[in-house]
Amino acid sequence: MMGPESPPATEDMESLALSDSVTAGTTATPSSLSSPSPGSASPSSSFIDPPSYAEAVFSPFEPQNDAAGASGSSYRRDSSPRSARAAASNYLLISVSDPESVQETANSLVSGGTTYVTYLINTRIRPAAANDGPSVFSVRRRFRDFVTLAARLAESYRGYFIPQRPDKNVVEGQVMQRNEFVEQRRAELEKYLWRLAEHPVIGRSDELRLFLQAQGKLPLQPITDVASRMLDGAVRLPKQLFGEGAATQVAPEDVVQPATEGRDLLRMFKELKQAVSNGWGGVKPLVVEEDKEFLERKEKMQDLEQQLSTTSQQAEALVKAQQDIGETMGELGMALIKLTKFEIEEATFDSQTMRAADAKRVATAAVKASRLYRELNAQTVKHLATLHDCLGVMLAVEIAFSERASALLTVQTLMSDLSALRARVEKLEVASSRIFGGDQSRLRKVEELKGTIRVTEDAKSCAVREYERIKENNWTELDRLDTEMHDDLLNMLKGFVINQIGYWEKVGNAWTAVEEETSSYFCVSESN
Amino acid sequence: MNLVLCFATGCRGRALRSALSKVLFFAFVYDEIMISPERSPPRSSSQSPRSPSATPFLSISVTDPVKLGNGVQAYISYRVITKTNLPEFQGPEKIVIRRYSDFVWLHDRLAEKYKGIFIPPLPEKSAVEKFRFSVEFIEMRRQALDIFINRIASHPELKRSEDLRIFLQEDEETMDRARSLETGIFKKPSDLIQIFKDVQSKVSDVVLGKEKPVEETDPEYEKLKHYIFGLEEHLAETQKQAFRLVKRHRELSQSLADFGKAIKLLGVCEGDTLGKVFSELGSKSELLSIKLQKEAHNLLMNFEEPIKDYVRAVQSIKVTFADRANAFRQHCELAETTKLKEINLEKLNIMRSDKAREAEIEYRELKAESEQATRKFETIVRLMNEEIVRFQDQKTADMGLAFHQFAKGQAKLANDIADAWRSVLPKIEACSLNSQHD
């Protein structure tokens, strides 16, 4: 039973046809759709048929465990903005599958060595030339490799909104045998790789390429843990403190790294001191974040993050409420069915049989409605997951902004350094000039310092360049974010609304039928 | 409807006017969805006031709940309006003020006098909720009382009772007096004593090693008892779920309101076109929240209440079972005692004893009592058989209406929700088309 025909209906028919043509070329296998809903069995005259339409258009990620990467896309192609981005990347397919437990051989001295899980990663690359077939790659990686990849990307792409990797799990060793955990991680890792691939810059990075294609051990420098970094730094520190030549200088190449990542403890302390003086000293640093527009944007981002977070919470509550009402409706239906059965068994009067029939109609509709609510909810969860994804992006934004701040801090620190060095030189020159013929030791010191100044100036130029680079990355990314988030949120709303319309229409139909079947009772009471 | 007339016929003082205005809003909402008074199709004794005056009619409304008194003493008074052309009543219209305990009085009197008849049930006493006097509670009670009194008025036997006439016609002082005589201390102990007697006799039967307590063995009656007890269970479960469903509607309503608000705030962060879409969506969400609240209320009044009413009716039948069992036992006991007396009398007659005449008188008295008890029992059986038919018909009609209201409400809700979301879709479409052109 369809509502009155109206223009929106025809528009939607068109867009439906449009999305059909987009999905025509995909390898989406029908079997990978989740269990067919009973509601879709009846021919629906409504232009919105939620079970199949919604599934096809609005389910971005289906956990697939098929080992074969060539057939059966584990990343459903659809008409959403996300897939448009995926289509623009080099990668036709990325799948993470087939988790396997591996015994840690290195620590075999320790009795009962640890195990870890490796995942099979299959990728298909878009062919370079029109006639070439796609190239296919297959590697095995463990979670630690993902961590390395993430770290390398964070270093090389400062200022970009880098998609964040799945969390480490502290109790990894204990829960690792549980299939649920592994499956969840597998899905998250797949999602992560796709996010990376979709990023216009990072998707084309060497790091990602190596990760996905290099056979055997991952050829990326693993990060050492903080402790050993500190240890290395500590070895250098005494030399730095005693001002021994080269050790004091910040190597220009180091400058492109944030202080905390490197091994230069002294630099860390200096930047910390600078940060403190920026914040507390009331001393205006020599270079400040002057970009008003940026500051405005930053504030907007913070606001957006807050609202996304609230909305995400409310979305969760909404989903729960929808679930609850579906459950209770189902239980009511069951209670009525039991009542019906009982009345029929015990019937001695016609009125009982009639009543039982009425109860059964209501019960059937209630059970049907309950099932529809459940399906509606499953779809709603998928749509509103966009909010969650957006929050993930906001985290990347935060990180990118903090990289900018940290780069700025490096510049500020070096500038403070320079002015301190220059002041020392001046003092020494003045003191030396008082002595007739010059103070050789002092003059030697001056020369040394001037050397340090030159190196520091180089470092400063590097740091400034790095800072500018990061700033620029920030800006391009912000523009990209605007468009992408706009598209994603709009798509989410659209999916959510279409979903609601479709399912509630069906629920309405079910109840209208019962309403009509029981209308005689209403007429009787009305006529009195 | 009647309600409008009530307000027109004058208030009971300025102090009550503010309370009335609150109820007025409520009444207009309820006008639409109130279940019309209980009528079973074949009976024509109660008809709409619009029918020609030649046909007898008796129509009652319980309206206009007003809170009186303070603190612990507070209670709700109702205006009971009787419209009739029957000669026994002061016609064409009589208005009295009654409170809940007056209804209880009427119910208990009828229960005493009309054993065998399923007395229409009253809404629960609820000592606690009374103090909170929520608008919903008051309305539910008023509706239930209205249905109660009209059921009595349409029952062929009950409507002829003097107690009903007193209830509908006498002024408040007379009513108060009548009530204080019957209710309170007087009534309760007699109830307790009766219950105690029943338990006592059961226990003594077992203790004295008598064969099982005297019970009917009518298979059809057994079936009926089995049916009623089973029915109560199933209905209770259904009512529980119905009540929960009401709660769920309220919860969903709340979450939609919160979600709508959050979406609106999120929209403020976004740019112009997208922001507007968000804002529209948020508003719709809030609108739907209100619709859900309404449906929750509709569910409560027009689905859950009728089911609860059904449960109460079943419980009333169980009371009649107890009455019948008592009557049966009395009839059996007296019959037995009479028989013994008869045998004894014969013996005395044969012996030509002096006590024979005395015994004869006693025997005749006892025999009369026994016959009365038997008649009483048989009346109950006869009445019950009629009542069961009535009950089944009535319940099919009641539940049919309740199911209809339920389905109607749910259908409207679902369609309203679909419509609301549908109205946002064009804006979303327009927004995505725009962004594609950028």
Side-chain angles (χ1 to χ4, degrees):
Chain A
M1 199 176 90
M2 215 171 138
E5 290 283 8
S6 50
T10 35
E11 276 173 15
D12 253 281
M13 290 289 252
E14 288 169 26
S15 64
L16 182 56
L18 215 63
S19 64
D20 271 343
S21 63
V22 168
T23 54
T26 68
T27 51
T29 47
S31 61
S32 57
L33 282 170
S34 58
S35 58
S37 87
S40 61
S42 54
S44 172
S45 58
S46 162
F47 61 86
I48 295 161
D49 201 346
S52 49
Y53 176 69
E55 272 285 21
V57 175
F58 300 115
S59 53
F61 301 113
E62 291 285 8
Q64 297 283 320
N65 268 327
D66 53 291
S71 66
S73 162
S74 50
Y75 181 57
R76 176 94 24 80
R77 294 310 177 88
D78 53 52
S79 63
S80 74
R82 165 129 280 139
S83 67
R85 280 173 239 149
S89 78
N90 276 337
Y91 296 92
L92 286 175
L93 163 75
I94 302 178
S95 82
V96 177
S97 60
D98 192 27
E100 262 179 24
S101 256
V102 174
Q103 192 82 18
E104 183 96 64
T105 48
N107 299 338
S108 52
L109 279 176
V110 182
S111 59
T114 52
T115 56
Y116 59 88
V117 178
T118 62
Y119 302 88
L120 180 66
I121 305 180
N122 292 310
T123 34
R124 268 166 81 201
I125 312 259
R126 190 180 301 282
N131 292 331
D132 291 351
S135 1
V136 181
F137 295 92
S138 194
V139 295
R140 274 210 164 261
R141 299 279 180 244
R142 58 182 291 187
F143 187 76
R144 210 185 270 181
D145 295 333
F146 284 85
V147 174
T148 306
L149 173 64
R152 289 283 77 76
L153 289 173
E155 250 181 47
S156 315
Y157 293 93
R158 290 176 80 194
Y160 284 101
F161 302 161
I162 307 171
Q164 296 301 298
R165 62 159 173 78
D167 288 331
K168 293 185 193 175
N169 195 316
V170 184
V171 288
E172 202 167 341
Q174 290 167 323
V175 299
M176 205 144 43
Q177 299 313 309
R178 256 199 263 147
N179 294 333
E180 250 177 53
F181 171 75
V182 172
E183 172 52 31
Q184 190 189 351
R185 172 161 278 187
R186 188 210 59 78
E188 283 174 356
L189 290 175
E190 191 173 281
K191 206 162 155 180
Y192 172 60
L193 288 177
W194 266 116
R195 293 265 156 72
L196 291 178
E198 282 164 16
H199 193 288
V201 174
I202 295 182
R204 292 166 213 283
S205 68
D206 286 336
E207 287 91 343
L208 183 63
R209 190 175 50 81
L210 285 173
F211 182 89
L212 293 173
Q213 298 177 17
Q215 291 295 328
K217 192 164 175 293
L218 181 67
L220 292 178
Q221 176 90 345
I223 42 157
T224 44
D225 55 306
V226 179
S228 52
R229 254 194 283 138
M230 287 296 157
L231 229 47
D232 285 349
V235 168
R236 284 176 66 199
L237 190 59
K239 291 197 189 140
Q240 289 174 317
L241 289 175
F242 291 122
E244 261 164 63
T248 17
Q249 297 159 359
V250 183
E253 58 274 12
D254 279 353
V255 147
V256 300
Q257 240 187 24
T260 43
E261 296 291 333
R263 296 143 196 260
D264 193 337
L265 283 181
L266 185 64
R267 181 175 157 219
M268 256 172 75
F269 293 149
K270 275 191 183 168
E271 291 198 355
L272 188 61
K273 183 170 144 210
Q274 179 70 31
V276 169
S277 99
N278 283 351
W280 288 40
V283 175
K284 189 164 176 222
L286 299 158
V287 175
V288 285
E289 188 59 77
E290 272 172 356
D291 196 346
K292 254 209 173 126
E293 213 182 316
F294 172 73
L295 288 169
E296 268 174 31
R297 275 316 264 296
K298 185 165 174 207
E299 223 181 283
K300 268 195 183 163
M301 284 291 125
Q302 281 165 344
D303 198 20
L304 179 63
E305 184 172 352
Q306 178 59 46
Q307 298 313 329
L308 278 171
S309 173
T310 315
T311 309
S312 179
Q313 275 171 2
Q314 299 307 340
E316 266 180 52
L318 177 66
V319 162
K320 177 161 196 311
Q322 273 181 182
Q323 185 178 328
D324 284 346
I325 200 173
E327 260 175 42
T328 303
M329 185 64 87
E331 283 173 358
L332 175 67
M334 290 312 296
L336 282 172
I337 285 179
K338 287 195 193 134
L339 177 66
T340 306
K341 272 206 182 129
F342 177 74
E343 287 266 30
I344 290 175
E345 274 168 19
E346 307 273 331
T348 42
F349 296 95
D350 281 342
S351 52
Q352 275 173 292
T353 322
M354 239 169 79
R355 195 163 65 234
D358 292 333
K360 183 142 186 228
R361 278 190 204 103
V362 174
T364 314
V367 170
K368 187 168 182 186
S370 157
R371 260 201 297 246
L372 287 168
Y373 284 162
R374 225 179 322 135
E375 282 169 28
L376 165 65
N377 221 28
Q379 297 300 324
T380 308
V381 166
K382 285 185 183 157
H383 293 128
L384 299 182
T386 306
L387 289 168
H388 192 73
D389 292 343
C390 287
L391 278 172
V393 173
M394 296 315 287
L395 180 59
V397 171
E398 250 183 72
I399 291 174
F401 285 179
S402 84
E403 293 286 8
R404 177 188 177 125
S406 129
L408 177 61
L409 186 63
T410 306
V411 169
Q412 289 169 340
T413 313
L414 286 171
M415 291 188 74
S416 299
D417 265 2
L418 274 175
S419 70
L421 285 168
R422 289 198 182 110
R424 271 174 74 191
V425 164
E426 211 184 293
K427 242 176 83 173
L428 284 170
E429 280 179 340
V430 164
S432 153
S433 68
R434 298 227 182 89
I435 298 175
F436 183 72
D439 183 333
Q440 284 312 311
S441 77
R442 280 207 176 95
L443 285 172
R444 245 183 295 129
K445 188 74 188 163
V446 165
E447 284 312 311
E448 216 183 281
L449 284 176
K450 279 195 174 155
T452 309
I453 287 176
R454 273 194 298 276
V455 176
T456 310
E457 270 173 0
D458 281 344
K460 191 201 90 174
S461 320
C462 263
V464 169
R465 270 202 304 276
E466 175 71 359
Y467 175 60
E468 292 299 324
R469 189 178 76 91
I470 292 178
K471 268 164 71 173
E472 189 149 330
N473 292 347
N474 276 172
W475 277 117
T476 18
E477 287 285 81
L478 277 171
D479 287 337
R480 183 180 71 89
L481 176 81
D482 268 352
T483 333
E484 281 186 12
M485 196 167 280
H486 178 281
D487 290 344
D488 283 345
L489 287 174
L490 192 62
N491 196 50
M492 167 189 91
L493 291 184
K494 185 168 164 187
F496 173 74
V497 166
I498 290 182
N499 212 28
Q500 293 272 318
I501 294 172
Y503 279 101
W504 281 107
E505 217 177 72
K506 289 198 153 184
V507 170
N509 290 344
W511 288 116
T512 305
V514 177
E515 181 188 346
E516 283 165 3
E517 285 161 358
T518 54
S519 57
S520 53
Y521 294 106
F522 190 63
C523 297
V524 163
S525 77
E526 277 293 277
S527 65
N528 282 352
Chain B
M1 226 211 93
N2 294 335
L3 286 166
V4 185
L5 293 166
C6 300
F7 293 114
T9 47
C11 294
R12 266 170 278 140
R14 276 175 59 224
L16 303 175
R17 233 164 254 168
S18 61
L20 280 175
S21 63
K22 276 187 228 150
V23 178
L24 176 62
F25 162 77
F26 228 55
F28 279 124
V29 173
Y30 281 103
D31 238 358
E32 295 180 324
I33 59 177
M34 197 185 93
I35 298 180
S36 44
E38 179 59 17
R39 309 185 204 281
S40 48
R43 318 234 170 244
S44 58
S45 48
S46 315
Q47 287 170 10
S48 126
R50 296 185 218 101
S51 59
S53 49
T55 20
F57 72 89
L58 174 64
S59 146
I60 311 171
S61 6
V62 176
T63 67
D64 197 14
V66 172
K67 179 175 168 192
L68 298 176
N70 288 313
V72 188
Q73 309 260 338
Y75 65 94
I76 304 280
S77 76
Y78 303 89
R79 199 193 282 249
V80 180
I81 303 169
T82 311
K83 290 193 171 82
T84 178
N85 63 357
L86 297 175
E88 310 87 87
F89 296 91
Q90 301 168 32
E93 186 181 285
K94 171 89 181 179
I95 301 176
V96 294
I97 307 298
R98 295 287 180 255
R99 53 186 288 186
Y100 179 76
S101 16
D102 296 330
F103 287 84
V104 173
W105 170 88
L106 177 62
H107 175 272
D108 292 348
R109 295 278 296 203
L110 293 174
E112 262 299 311
K113 295 189 183 140
Y114 292 89
K115 297 222 187 281
I117 293 185
F118 304 155
I119 310 296
L122 280 173
E124 284 80 16
K125 285 204 170 122
S126 172
V128 179
E129 241 197 286
K130 188 173 87 150
F131 291 115
R132 278 190 266 128
F133 281 152
S134 71
V135 177
E136 214 163 61
F137 173 76
I138 293 174
E139 178 51 26
M140 270 165 62
R141 181 169 268 203
R142 186 208 61 79
Q143 186 174 285
L145 292 175
D146 188 298
I147 291 172
F148 165 76
I149 201 74
N150 276 289
R151 277 189 183 141
I152 295 176
S154 45
H155 192 286
E157 289 290 323
L158 297 177
K159 75 181 188 192
R160 293 193 253 130
S161 86
E162 173 65 12
D163 295 314
L164 178 66
R165 201 201 58 77
I166 294 173
F167 181 86
L168 291 176
Q169 307 281 290
E170 295 298 328
D171 59 44
E172 282 76 42
E173 289 93 53
T174 317
M175 189 69 235
D176 280 346
R177 240 181 296 130
R179 192 183 74 235
S180 56
L181 278 176
E182 291 296 324
T183 57
I185 321 152
F186 213 31
K187 193 82 174 127
K188 296 295 152 58
S190 77
D191 278 340
L192 289 172
I193 287 168
Q194 187 57 45
I195 297 167
F196 193 58
K197 272 201 199 145
D198 292 338
V199 172
Q200 222 182 20
S201 64
K202 281 212 173 75
V203 169
S204 63
D205 284 345
V206 173
V207 166
L208 294 176
K210 269 199 203 159
E211 279 103 51
K212 354 174 244 187
V214 193
E215 266 177 28
E216 287 177 66
T217 48
D218 181 357
E220 248 182 65
Y221 184 56
E222 283 305 309
K223 189 164 183 234
L224 177 67
K225 278 200 280 184
H226 178 257
Y227 168 71
I228 291 294
F229 279 92
L231 186 64
E232 190 185 9
E233 254 182 63
H234 284 100
L235 286 177
E237 175 65 21
T238 307
Q239 190 239 324
K240 187 171 92 171
Q241 297 303 343
F243 184 70
R244 240 193 238 162
L245 190 64
V246 172
K247 204 165 69 150
R248 297 287 181 233
H249 276 68
R250 293 206 169 115
E251 285 164 7
L252 185 59
S253 163
Q254 184 60 50
S255 68
L256 272 172
D258 292 339
F259 182 69
K261 211 159 58 164
I263 284 276
K264 271 172 149 175
L265 286 174
L266 185 57
V268 170
C269 293
E270 291 295 320
D272 259 336
T273 38
L274 190 58
K276 284 209 186 91
V277 171
F278 270 92
S279 165
E280 177 88 15
L281 204 113
S283 304
K284 288 291 173 203
S285 195
E286 288 174 335
L287 186 100
L288 290 177
S289 162
I290 295 173
K291 284 198 199 279
L292 267 159
Q293 272 286 71
K294 278 209 187 121
E295 175 58 17
H297 189 87
N298 176 45
L299 263 182
L300 185 70
M301 303 303 293
N302 296 322
F303 183 62
E304 199 258 349
E305 254 304 291
I307 297 177
K308 216 159 57 175
D309 179 58
Y310 200 166
V311 173
R312 290 186 204 125
V314 167
Q315 283 163 350
S316 162
I317 295 178
K318 280 163 80 180
V319 169
T320 309
F321 283 170
D323 289 342
R324 174 164 165 161
N326 282 341
F328 181 72
R329 205 166 22 87
Q330 267 193 330
H331 143 85
C332 285
E333 276 171 13
L334 279 173
E336 207 178 299
T337 321
T338 309
K339 199 130 188 100
L340 289 172
K341 264 272 188 310
E342 197 181 350
I343 292 168
N344 195 34
L345 184 65
E346 274 183 31
K347 270 196 229 154
L348 287 176
N349 274 338
I350 290 165
M351 287 176 359
R352 293 193 187 281
S353 161
D354 299 328
K355 299 200 187 125
R357 241 186 48 201
E358 214 183 293
E360 172 123 13
I361 297 170
E362 274 178 25
Y363 167 70
R364 283 198 205 287
E365 276 175 9
L366 203 61
K367 186 155 183 197
E369 245 182 85
S370 169
E371 276 164 9
Q372 196 184 58
T374 307
R375 265 199 307 276
K376 190 169 161 207
F377 169 68
E378 281 167 358
T379 308
I380 291 182
V381 173
R382 177 180 56 82
L383 283 173
M384 268 185 80
N385 288 338
E386 287 169 15
E387 286 287 288
I388 275 293
V389 179
R390 242 180 136 260
F391 167 76
Q392 296 289 21
D393 285 341
Q394 215 172 66
K395 278 319 166 193
T396 301
D398 287 345
M399 286 314 290
L401 182 63
F403 287 145
H404 176 80
Q405 299 284 36
F406 178 46
K408 188 166 164 190
Q410 289 291 301
K412 182 169 191 306
L413 178 72
N415 289 328
D416 281 352
I417 293 179
D419 286 341
W421 291 129
R422 217 176 266 124
S423 69
V424 185
L425 202 54
K427 292 203 180 63
I428 297 180
E429 300 283 349
C431 201
S432 47
L433 281 172
N434 279 343
S435 62
Q436 279 170 24
H437 289 153
D438 286 344

